[in-house]
Amino acid sequence: MAATDPLTPATPPPGATTPAPEGAAGTPAARPLEDQLRQAGLEVLGSCQKMSGRGPALLQHSALLEDFTLKELDTLGEAMLLIRAQPGQVLIAEGDAGDWMLLLLSGTVDVTKTTPADDDGPDAADSKSRLGVTTEGAVLGEMSMFDRDVRYATCTAIDAVEAAVLSRAAIGQLIRQHPGVGAKLMVKITQLLAQRLRNTSNRLVRLLQKK
């Protein structure tokens, strides 16, 4: 029996346009990735070939890429789609489904979270809180990429943004074709998730200590 990929069944290379198997027809999970991005109003520029051409600064500024060589960076780039967003444009919308993540290549992104109103009165309004501002090298949306749950927050371009999109299916393809690069990528994403969990736990402890 042929071995199966831990993330996803056999899929086409770069761009990973094959739908997630459990997605019903017409749902975001069932539409090709490029179609999802274009429908969201984002400009799709093709694959991120020769990502090393963006210079060593990208490796230095990104916790995800800091252990990659330039050659490995190009291999990773071939599995990713390059998108562009204009100021004020939403890259990731809170509550949407999605099995892909973003790596910011240039520009600045505002990350916000909506808090429901305390009551149901006619004048009640939801509030929006800023979780942070991210810049070149940051990773967004990796948690939903893994568990296929809805997006936790909204990511909006503050200025012109270019980003690389990596889907769950593309990671599976990368692991099969370039196991060394795929394994390194999985380790780095796991480290990022662990660090975010640790930071969240520390903030929770500080809040409890104030009470």
Side-chain angles (χ1 to χ4, degrees):
M1 179 181 296
T4 57
D5 181 78
L7 286 176
T8 172
T11 57
T17 58
T18 296
E22 66 270 30
T27 64
R31 292 197 300 270
L33 178 57
E34 291 189 38
D35 289 351
Q36 294 180 46
L37 298 171
R38 289 194 175 98
Q39 185 167 354
L42 301 170
E43 184 181 1
V44 181
L45 304 175
S47 70
C48 291
Q49 293 181 356
K50 298 297 181 182
M51 195 152 64
S52 62
R54 293 180 175 267
L58 179 60
L59 296 175
Q60 297 169 2
H61 294 160
S62 177
L64 177 70
L65 303 176
E66 60 187 4
D67 294 333
F68 282 75
T69 66
L70 292 177
K71 182 178 180 180
E72 290 171 336
L73 183 60
D74 283 340
T75 298
L76 178 60
E78 291 173 359
M80 306 175 85
L81 286 174
L82 178 63
I83 63 169
R84 180 179 294 147
Q86 300 304 317
Q89 204 165 4
V90 173
L91 293 97
I92 291 176
E94 180 180 351
D96 280 0
D99 61 354
W100 46 269
M101 71 178 201
L102 293 176
L103 169 65
L104 293 186
L105 301 176
S106 64
T108 311
V109 170
D110 194 17
V111 183
T112 57
K113 173 73 176 173
T114 301
T115 303
D118 293 333
D119 57 71
D120 297 327
D123 297 328
D126 296 342
S127 60
K128 184 178 292 187
S129 302
R130 171 175 282 172
L131 301 182
V133 175
T134 60
T135 56
E136 176 186 356
V139 172
L140 300 167
E142 72 278 11
M143 189 175 296
S144 292
M145 179 189 68
F146 276 124
D147 63 14
R148 291 195 177 102
D149 204 349
V150 296
R151 303 295 192 183
Y152 174 77
T154 295
C155 302
T156 307
I158 294 177
D159 48 18
V161 165
E162 284 193 350
V165 181
L166 182 66
S167 71
R168 179 187 174 97
I171 292 181
Q173 189 78 1
L174 192 64
I175 289 173
R176 286 189 296 276
Q177 296 183 350
H178 304 280
V181 176
K184 183 178 288 190
L185 177 65
M186 291 296 292
V187 168
K188 296 304 296 183
I189 294 177
T190 302
Q191 289 175 343
L192 290 176
L193 289 171
Q195 185 61 55
R196 290 190 180 182
L197 178 60
R198 186 183 301 275
N199 292 341
T200 300
S201 298
N202 289 338
R203 286 196 296 269
L204 179 60
V205 169
R206 288 195 294 268
L207 287 173
L208 292 175
Q209 289 173 341
K210 292 179 180 179
K211 292 185 177 181

